[in-house]
Amino acid sequence: MIRKPDYERGRFFVSPLLGCNASCRFCYIYDKGYTKKAIRNEFDIHLVMDFLESHESFSKGIQGSIISIGAWGDPFPRYNKELCTHSLEWLKKISELQNPIQIMSRYELNTEIINGIVECNKYKGHILYSTSISSINNFRKIEPYADDPINRLRSIEKLDNLGVATNVMIKPFIPGITDIDVENIVKALKDHNVRQCVVGDLLLDDTIKIKLSEIGFNISEPIDMQVLDCTSGESYELGNSGQSESFCQSISDSGIKVFRKSSCVNSYILNRPNPANYINFDPNNYCIKCGVCK
């Protein structure tokens, strides 16, 4: 199976693995032909590097484009050492470009993976490692085979202690699941020294609607459409319009900085303008006016 990199607003999305066995009910990949069993991307790393360096929108180096690893399959499936090693090999090669890198997993990281990420991290903010949670108490309802969120946060804390920039994606925000767990989420983030997070929207397609309806999630009529960046421009129905403001305020009141986009976290940590330019073109109100972009 082959997936070439995708591009959207200053970010390139590459996936060493395709498919994921976490079976999250809100995941977009299963409607695109990717299975619940991760496999290697046959568009190998050498082709990826050629693609990036020849792309008209790619800018190389510390001030260059953001590279996001893992859009179409979790890069670190804990159950498969060979596939995790494969993802680390991709990370090592991409890190040679010096570009800001995002990488995220819903699994707890073992010592080998943690050390591999640390070795690839060339400067503060070079690699932004994230994990993603939508609930602490009810995560099994929506993420049947992902690791326990507390174990994922433990990996975040270990990497942060070793000098790797970290972030938590509270994504997607699911009304009736994420909001009612706000106290537990705040406590978990504070307990693991999380300093910034992204609260992300619930985006829906027909497959996701069916999976969520099976657990009693009430799908209302969509109000807006939003682009899912890693799809090179495809739009999805917005499933939680205007319902996360109070939740975001609770997280912010705890002392954790809340963003709407992970590229903004990269820019905030590196103290450089976001190449996505949300401060000037922001139809979805992602910009929180953090002060980095002028």
Side-chain angles (χ1 to χ4, degrees), residues 136-206:
I136 301 295
N137 280 351
N138 296 306
F139 79 98
R140 282 283 176 237
K141 193 174 183 180
I142 51 176
E143 307 169 285
Y145 304 110
D147 280 347
D148 187 298
I150 300 302
N151 293 341
R152 300 179 223 170
L153 291 172
R154 191 174 295 124
S155 297
I156 286 275
E157 188 171 16
K158 288 177 180 178
L159 283 167
D160 182 72
N161 289 339
L162 291 169
V164 176
T166 58
N167 169 58
V168 171
M169 306 287 288
I170 303 175
K171 183 177 182 180
F173 173 89
I174 305 176
I177 293 178
T178 310
D179 49 349
I180 66 172
D181 210 12
V182 61
E183 291 184 4
N184 292 314
I185 291 173
V186 168
K187 183 179 186 305
L189 298 184
K190 297 292 286 184
D191 285 349
H192 294 86
N193 299 319
V194 173
R195 290 183 290 277
Q196 54 265 329
C197 70
V198 173
V199 177
D201 292 318
L202 173 64
L203 301 182
L204 302 170
D205 60 19
D206 289 342

Side-chain angles (χ1 to χ4, degrees), residues 198-247:
V198 173
V199 177
D201 292 318
L202 173 64
L203 301 182
L204 302 170
D205 60 19
D206 289 342
T207 299
I208 297 171
K209 287 180 182 179
I210 291 170
K211 292 296 183 184
L212 289 176
S213 67
E214 290 173 351
I215 60 170
F217 182 76
N218 183 26
I219 306 294
S220 58
E221 287 298 314
I223 298 174
D224 298 303
M225 302 289 288
Q226 284 193 18
V227 171
L228 179 59
D229 291 350
C230 62
T231 60
S232 294
E234 291 185 31
S235 293
Y236 284 66
E237 296 176 11
L238 179 62
N240 58 347
S241 181
Q243 297 182 61
S244 64
E245 285 86 351
S246 177
F247 177 86

